[in-house]
Amino acid sequence: EKMKNTLPKDFLWGGAIAANQCEGAYLENGKGLSPVDILPGGPKLRNEALEDVKKAMNTDYGYYPSHISIDFFHKFKEDIKLFKEMGFKCLRTSICWARIFPNGDNLEPNEEGLKFYDALIDELIKNNIEPVITINHFDTPLELTKKYGGWKDKRLIDFYARYCEVLFKRYKGKVKYWMTFNEINIILHIPSFGGGLVFEEGENKKQVMYQSAHHQLVASALATKIGHEIDSENMIGCMLAAGTVYPNTCNPNDILAAQAANRENYFFIDVQSKGEYPSYSKRMLEELGVTLEISEDEKKILKEHTVDYIGFSYYSSRLRSADPEVMKNIKDGNAFASLTNPYLKESEWGWTIDPTGLRITMNELYDRYNKPLFIVENGLGAIDKIETDGSINDDYRIDYLRQHIEQMKEGVKDGVNLLGYTPWGCIDLVSAGTGQMSKRYGFIYVDKDDDGNGTLKRSKKKSFNWYKNVISSNGDEL
Ligand code: P53
């Protein structure tokens, strides 16, 4: 009884997906290539390709998971019907830039590409599902990588602004919630996804990554400006790959190392939310050998057009030590490497499971920014087993989500203003990091395997009805 009415009535329950991982139809209606379209599946191959995109562009991998993916492009009506059945109040998805501007630098948008999103957004609205739109989710058009080296080139700011203007005008009155860049801090960890970046021999990678990040921060502020001018009702947010970094011990040196690691992430949101580079960034960048080129005009844009809310993904907390010997034990293979936390369990993919960390992260973000938060990704990637009767009993997923929602409610009771919760991959889709289908997050199972076999048929997992009840009880029944 004491848990009743923790969450506001209009709380945005839903789910999250992204164009690059679910749409498929990779050349349909004049779409240009996205980075994901040249990437193979499988953790090892995928990782190598992400680290050397130039090589990947010249390699024939045979099978590409994104080309058909789960074919959301053709099946979205069927899928939205299932989302509706679960009671979704919103759906977070992204628009694929290369559907609208196939080369990225085209002067005119591709009408056929826009028509797809017209239909998708109308279908959501028809079903009373609020669209929450990520403008760039790991898919800066590949042509911009080939021609400009990705976001290292300032001209991308204008191309992006042009793209945003088209979207804001087209979906005025239909889409209210926007996010400018998915996981903007990922550019430091997976620069090919984050910035469409390729590196030249001898280039200072940190220099390139931070200068590219600066271009994105300016682009994000410009998008906010344009979005607000076109419709003052627009809520334009940033998006952080969050997850607080803990110190490995109470040794002050470890505390300092954890603080530095947190600042490395908050750096981006500090700019997007407060409108200027944080004071610590001067020394941080100096020590990295980075000199940013920033114009007075850009400073002004950053200052005047800060975000309306803070979107973030949360999967794990992380752990840092100042001791180089201890840090040798850091696990690789994850975009955000971490030491093993002895108090916590891990997923099958080695991601730390830490529900309390969600509450800690919420409180930290809210203390720091005092703006509404939106949990736009959370979830457990796991292998699902189909029983002979066709059922999928994903109790592990239910447990994960239950524990996180419990902590999310605690965060709200702690005083956080939270707009909504959209667990990642509400329908199974291709994993960004590994290109696997078998790393599943969904309430809805999609019949497709890691080699591309399968009927693409959708079916409900046990978690489907569980989440439906969570939503209908506004989070009271977990
Ligand atoms: P996958 C790494 C670390 C944290 C979040 O990831 C990440 C990544 C990239 O792999 O990305 C976000 O599919 C991202 C989604 C992605 C999801 O987390 O590797 O916004 O596109 O699918 C889960 O298991």
Side-chain angles (χ1 to χ4, degrees):
E1 275 303 304
K2 73 179 198 321
M3 295 295 285
K4 287 273 184 229
N5 302 322
T6 303
L7 298 172
K9 258 207 174 91
D10 55 356
F11 188 74
L12 289 170
W13 292 100
I17 55 179
N20 82 91
Q21 288 160 262
C22 72
E23 283 180 2
Y26 83 116
L27 291 177
E28 216 146 322
N29 294 358
K31 177 182 167 299
L33 288 179
S34 303
V36 77
D37 297 326
I38 57 143
L39 295 178
K44 197 169 164 286
L45 267 187
R46 181 84 155 194
N47 203 33
E48 284 169 12
L50 280 168
E51 276 180 10
D52 190 349
V53 176
K54 271 195 176 166
K55 193 174 144 215
M57 284 196 274
N58 297 310
T59 306
D60 182 0
Y61 294 105
Y63 173 62
Y64 293 88
S66 80
H67 289 190
I68 296 176
S69 191
I70 62 159
D71 201 22
F72 183 71
F73 188 85
H74 295 109
K75 295 183 182 294
F76 70 89
K77 288 194 179 168
E78 181 189 332
D79 295 339
I80 288 172
K81 209 171 155 194
L82 288 165
F83 298 151
K84 176 75 190 167
E85 191 184 330
M86 266 187 284
F88 278 23
K89 312 281 186 230
C90 75
L91 178 74
R92 172 182 179 232
T93 189
S94 69
I95 289 181
C96 169
W97 189 348
R99 281 197 198 282
I100 315 302
F101 289 96
N103 297 328
D105 62 357
N106 311 66
L107 293 176
E108 295 301 324
N110 169 30
E111 185 58 28
E112 289 306 307
L114 283 164
K115 278 189 184 147
F116 168 68
Y117 294 106
D118 295 349
L120 173 61
I121 288 167
D122 286 346
E123 187 69 15
L124 289 170
I125 292 170
K126 200 174 95 188
N127 284 284
N128 278 318
I129 298 176
E130 177 94 42
V132 177
I133 299 293
T134 316
I135 296 171
N136 184 357
H137 192 127
F138 295 170
D139 63 0
T140 297
L142 196 63
E143 287 304 315
L144 293 179
T145 296
K146 290 187 185 159
K147 202 163 154 190
Y148 302 89
W151 277 92
K152 67 171 86 163
D153 192 308
K154 253 190 172 34
R155 284 172 289 185
L156 265 78
I157 299 173
D158 295 328
F159 304 149
Y160 178 85
R162 187 185 299 156
Y163 164 52
C164 289
E165 189 178 339
V166 167
L167 301 185
F168 290 134
K169 282 190 173 153
R170 185 95 168 193
Y171 302 117
K172 180 177 174 163
K174 292 187 174 180
V175 176
K176 175 177 171 186
Y177 292 95
W178 303 86
M179 265 165 278
T180 54
F181 288 90
N182 181 61
E183 295 190 335
I184 190 159
N185 52 325
I186 203 104
I187 195 167
L188 301 179
H189 305 274
I190 314 181
S192 45
F193 268 158
L197 293 180
V198 285
F199 298 101
E200 303 304 326
E201 280 272 78
E203 236 174 5
N204 174 350
K205 284 195 175 184
K206 291 272 182 203
Q207 173 67 35
V208 173
M209 292 191 285
Y210 275 102
Q211 187 63 45
S212 305
H214 171 66
H215 297 154
Q216 294 191 337
L217 291 168
V218 173
S220 173
L222 261 182
T224 309
K225 174 179 191 286
I226 298 166
H228 285 153
E229 280 167 4
I230 291 174
D231 189 346
S232 60
E233 295 283 292
N234 272 331
M235 288 283 285
I236 302 172
C238 55
M239 200 296 207
L240 170 76
T244 301
V245 184
Y246 302 145
N248 191 42
T249 71
C250 52
N251 181 329
N253 291 330
D254 285 348
I255 314 275
L256 208 54
Q259 185 177 60
N262 278 317
R263 282 176 162 180
E264 186 184 290
N265 290 318
Y266 293 147
F267 166 78
F268 297 84
I269 310 305
D270 285 350
V271 179
Q272 288 175 299
S273 183
K274 299 179 183 178
E276 57 190 23
Y277 280 87
S279 45
Y280 63 80
S281 66
K282 188 167 173 282
R283 179 175 185 174
M284 182 184 94
L285 295 174
E286 253 168 40
E287 290 184 354
L288 293 169
V290 172
T291 319
L292 288 185
E293 218 180 90
I294 309 176
S295 71
E296 287 308 309
D297 253 15
E298 290 170 346
K299 276 190 191 161
K300 192 163 173 281
I301 291 165
L302 292 176
K303 188 73 203 166
E304 288 175 359
H305 306 285
T306 54
V307 289
D308 300 317
Y309 68 95
I310 315 291
F312 67 98
S313 62
Y314 177 85
Y315 294 91
S316 305
S317 57
R318 297 142 195 167
L319 196 53
R320 274 300 167 91
S321 164
D323 182 343
E325 276 308 304
V326 176
M327 285 299 279
K328 279 185 184 157
N329 300 319
I330 205 153
K331 285 170 297 185
D332 50 3
N334 267 350
F336 294 89
S338 172
L339 295 166
T340 302
N341 187 329
Y343 296 96
L344 300 170
K345 294 205 177 79
E346 291 175 356
S347 80
E348 286 168 272
W349 273 264
W351 292 26
T352 304
I353 300 174
D354 180 10
T356 307
L358 173 60
R359 177 177 175 188
I360 296 169
T361 299
M362 285 170 72
N363 282 327
E364 276 192 10
L365 287 172
Y366 200 62
D367 284 353
R368 198 175 180 106
Y369 301 117
N370 272 297
K371 295 198 183 190
L373 305 183
F374 200 155
I375 303 172
V376 297
E377 286 184 33
N378 173 231
L380 179 71
I383 291 179
D384 291 327
K385 186 167 156 270
I386 308 186
E387 305 297 339
T388 41
D389 66 356
S391 63
I392 297 156
N393 300 309
D394 55 343
D395 292 299
Y396 35 90
R397 183 168 294 109
I398 294 173
D399 286 344
Y400 177 102
L401 293 171
R402 176 191 295 119
Q403 290 170 29
H404 283 77
I405 294 170
E406 271 167 7
Q407 293 303 317
M408 168 179 98
K409 286 163 59 177
E410 292 302 318
V412 170
K413 287 202 249 174
D414 290 338
V416 169
N417 175 3
L418 186 67
L419 296 170
Y421 177 71
T422 57
W424 175 249
C426 46
I427 179 166
D428 291 346
L429 38 61
V430 180
S431 153
T434 71
Q436 292 167 301
M437 266 310 295
S438 52
K439 190 181 186 190
R440 296 174 186 274
Y441 289 85
F443 305 110
I444 300 165
Y445 185 88
V446 177
D447 177 26
K448 184 170 178 178
D449 71 13
D450 289 340
D451 304 315
N453 306 307
T455 61
L456 295 176
K457 187 175 161 298
R458 277 61 170 152
S459 46
K460 299 173 194 171
K461 303 180 192 176
K462 185 174 179 184
S463 55
F464 184 101
N465 282 319
W466 173 80
Y467 191 48
K468 182 180 173 181
N469 191 48
V470 171
I471 296 178
S472 69
S473 66
N474 202 22
D476 283 343
E477 283 167 34
L478 294 173

